[in-house]
Amino acid sequence: MNVCDTMKQLNSERTDAFMHELYGNGAAENKARYEAVLKGFKEAFGDSEEVLLFSSPGRTEISGNHTDHNHGKVLAGSINLDCVGAAAKNYSNQVHIISETYDQNITIDLNDLEPSIKKAGTVDLIKGLLKGFETSGYSVGGFNAYITSNVISAAGVSSSASFEMLVCSMLNTFFNESHMDNVAYAHIGKYAENVYFGKMSGLMDQTASSVGGVVAIDFRDNANPVVRKLDFDFTKAGYALCIIDSGADHADLSDEYSAIPMEMRQVAAHFGKEVLREVALADFLTDMAAVREKAGDRATLRAYHFLKDNQRAIDEAAALEAGDFDKFLSLVKESGYSSFMYLQNVYVSGSVEHQEVAYTLAACEAALAGKGAYRVHGGGFAGTIQAFVPQEMLAGFVEQMEKAVGKGGCHVLSIRPAGGTELMKV
C-alpha cells in the first residue's frame, strides 16, 4: 500500500475498532497522529508502495520495584501513551529514521554497527537493536521511518523501551516475516541498552511494552521469562491510574541505578548464589547479621526489600485476579514503604536540599487522605510517583497535585491491551 492507500485503511471500520480498543475515548485524537506521520513520511521520503503503520506503548510498573534484574517477579502494564511511526523498506544498506518529537534525522549504515566511545544517544541505541537482531540470528535491512511519540520522557514510563519495541516491530515485519515473538523483542531491547547504551536494565520495561495489557512476568529463567496476561480493568474497579512527575533533576544517575543490582548480588553471593531469586527469605532472615557484616547495611536492606517485594508481585497479581482491589491497594502501599525505607531509591544518597520524589510522595498522601494508594514508580531517585485514585476524587487529586508539582505534572493514564504492533495487521 502506498501512503494514500494506507491513509484510506486507517479510516476503515476495522482499523477504527482497533483504535478504540487501543485508545478508548482518545481514538480520534490518536488517529490524527497517524495521519500526521504518514504525511511526514511522504514529505521526507516520497511515496512508497509498502508503507505501514506501527505503534508501541510506554509501560507502567505496578509491582516488583527493582526485582527483575535479580530474576524476580513483576507486575506491569502497557499504557495508552505510545510511539507511532510510518515506515517502509528502502532496499538499501541504510536505515533512515526521522523523529519528529526529538527533532532528529538519523542515518545508519548497516555495515557500521559498532557503538560510539560514549555509548549514549539514539544512534547507539538503534545500532544496538540492529546488532541485536543479527547476533540473535534474525535478518535486518534498510528502511525509512518517520516517528512521533507522546510517551512522557524521563518520567518512568519507559519512552526508550517504547521506541525500541517500535523499531523491533518494523524489523520483524519487514525482514523476518513477522515470525518473532514479543519476548524476543524484549531481549534485543535489553541487549541494546546493556551493550550499546551502558544501561544495565532488566527485561521488565521491554517485555511490558512489547506484550501489552496487564502482565505478570516471572524472570526465574531470564532467557525465557514466563509472561501471563491478567484480565483486569482499573477503570471498571472505580480507580484511575495516575503518574505524577516529581520534577527532579535527571542528571546522570547510572551509578545509583547500577549499585542496586550490584549490592543485591553481593548478598546473593554470601549464600553461594548468583541472584537473590535463588535465596529463600527464611535463610536470609536466619543469617541476616552475617549478611550485614559481609555486605553492609544498605545491601542487606535492599536484599530484604527484594525478597519481600518479589512475593508482593505474586500477591498483587492474585488479588487482582480474585477481584480483591482493597488487598491490591494495601500491597501497593506496602511496596512503596519498602522502596523508601529499604530499597532507598527515593533520593540520591547524601542529598539534603533536593528530595523531589519524597516531597511528591508527601503531596500524594495529603491529596488521597487515606484513600487509594501511591508509591515511587520505576527506577526511582528522580522521575515519578504512581497513584491509584478513586474516580470520584480524580479531578480534585489532579488539581491538588498540580499545585504541588506544577501544571501538567499529573498524568491520567489507562492500560492498553496491545503491545508493539503493526497497526493494519491486527
Side-chain angles (χ1 to χ4, degrees):
M1 298 182 296
N2 60 21
V3 170
C4 183
D5 291 336
T6 304
M7 192 77 79
K8 287 178 182 176
Q9 190 161 344
L10 179 63
N11 290 293
S12 69
E13 287 187 13
R14 181 169 174 268
T15 304
D16 191 58
F18 185 52
M19 294 284 283
H20 277 86
E21 190 177 338
L22 289 183
Y23 304 111
N25 293 333
E29 174 188 342
N30 280 281
K31 184 181 287 187
R33 293 173 64 217
Y34 287 97
E35 292 172 347
V37 296
L38 280 169
K39 291 175 183 176
F41 179 93
K42 187 174 182 179
E43 289 174 7
F45 304 112
D47 211 339
S48 170
E49 292 301 317
E50 53 181 12
V51 64
L52 299 175
L53 291 171
F54 297 85
S55 166
S56 182
R59 69 98 185 103
T60 182
E61 170 203 282
I62 299 170
S63 182
N65 196 210
H66 280 278
T67 53
D68 59 326
H69 49 61
N70 265 249
H71 294 210
K73 295 189 175 186
V74 301
L75 190 62
S78 58
I79 58 175
N80 58 320
L81 302 179
D82 61 353
C83 193
V84 304
K89 291 193 287 187
N90 61 25
Y91 302 95
S92 76
N93 268 338
Q94 292 191 327
V95 171
H96 303 288
I97 295 179
I98 294 176
S99 170
E100 177 191 63
T101 308
Y102 297 104
D103 193 25
Q104 294 175 312
N105 192 335
I106 294 167
T107 298
I108 293 172
D109 192 318
L110 294 174
N111 296 314
D112 178 19
L113 297 182
E114 290 300 310
S116 70
I117 295 173
K118 289 185 177 180
K119 290 188 177 181
T122 308
V123 172
D124 278 331
L125 194 60
I126 297 168
K127 283 185 174 182
L129 295 171
L130 293 164
K131 192 67 176 180
F133 266 73
E134 288 187 346
T135 57
S136 301
Y138 298 109
S139 299
V140 298
F143 67 95
N144 301 325
Y146 190 93
I147 293 171
T148 188
S149 177
N150 63 7
V151 183
I152 314 156
S153 179
V157 290
S158 207
S159 57
S160 58
S162 173
F163 174 78
E164 292 159 21
M165 298 304 97
L166 188 82
V167 174
C168 285
S169 295
M170 293 172 179
L171 290 167
N172 182 30
T173 299
F174 292 141
F175 308 110
N176 295 277
E177 300 180 332
S178 300
H179 287 163
M180 298 170 64
D181 64 34
N182 290 14
V183 176
Y185 291 4
H187 279 287
I188 290 170
K190 179 180 183 294
Y191 169 86
E193 290 203 9
N194 292 174
V195 180
Y196 275 67
F197 210 62
K199 181 182 177 183
M200 300 313 294
S201 63
L203 270 169
M204 181 190 69
D205 292 355
Q206 290 81 5
T207 305
S209 178
S210 65
V211 174
V214 178
V215 289
I217 313 170
D218 185 344
F219 292 107
R220 180 185 291 277
D221 179 358
N222 210 39
N224 299 286
V226 177
V227 182
R228 181 167 58 89
K229 276 203 171 194
L230 277 63
D231 183 16
F232 191 85
D233 187 336
F234 291 108
T235 304
K236 289 181 180 177
Y239 282 78
L241 167 63
C242 293
I243 298 293
I244 304 99
D245 191 347
S246 68
D249 182 8
H250 290 88
D252 184 21
L253 294 169
S254 294
D255 290 345
E256 295 286 346
Y257 294 131
S258 297
I260 293 176
M262 180 185 70
E263 290 179 12
M264 288 183 178
R265 286 171 185 258
Q266 286 176 350
V267 174
H270 173 80
F271 295 92
K273 307 295 184 182
E274 183 181 349
V275 293
L276 276 176
R277 174 60 180 271
E278 300 171 346
V279 178
L281 175 62
D283 292 339
F284 170 82
L285 294 175
T286 298
D287 214 20
M288 197 169 174
V291 170
R292 179 190 188 194
E293 183 177 351
K294 183 175 182 179
D297 287 353
R298 189 174 73 172
T300 303
L301 293 170
R302 284 176 163 172
Y304 179 70
H305 163 82
F306 171 93
L307 293 167
K308 297 287 283 186
D309 223 42
N310 193 55
Q311 182 61 46
R312 269 188 287 267
I314 300 169
D315 295 342
E316 284 187 34
L320 290 180
E321 291 182 306
D324 190 347
F325 204 70
D326 288 340
K327 177 65 173 177
F328 168 78
L329 292 174
S330 175
L331 290 164
V332 170
K333 292 177 187 176
E334 284 183 19
S335 179
Y337 296 150
S338 180
S339 291
F340 203 152
M341 291 188 292
Y342 306 129
L343 181 61
Q344 300 178 50
N345 68 333
V346 169
Y347 51 83
V348 175
S349 301
S351 177
V352 175
E353 184 177 352
H354 294 288
Q355 297 188 6
E356 293 91 343
V357 175
Y359 164 84
T360 309
L361 286 167
C364 273
E365 181 178 273
L368 286 170
K371 306 291 186 181
Y374 62 96
R375 64 194 279 272
V376 63
H377 181 244
F381 300 111
T384 58
I385 304 304
Q386 178 188 72
F388 294 94
V389 183
Q391 289 284 355
E392 66 271 16
M393 296 178 66
L394 183 59
F397 177 83
V398 172
E399 180 181 2
Q400 192 166 335
M401 290 309 302
E402 294 200 339
K403 283 181 181 178
V405 302
K407 190 169 179 60
C410 184
H411 306 274
V412 182
L413 307 179
S414 61
I415 300 295
R416 87 173 212 176
T421 185
E422 185 224 317
L423 198 69
M424 306 306 186
K425 181 180 67 176
V426 179

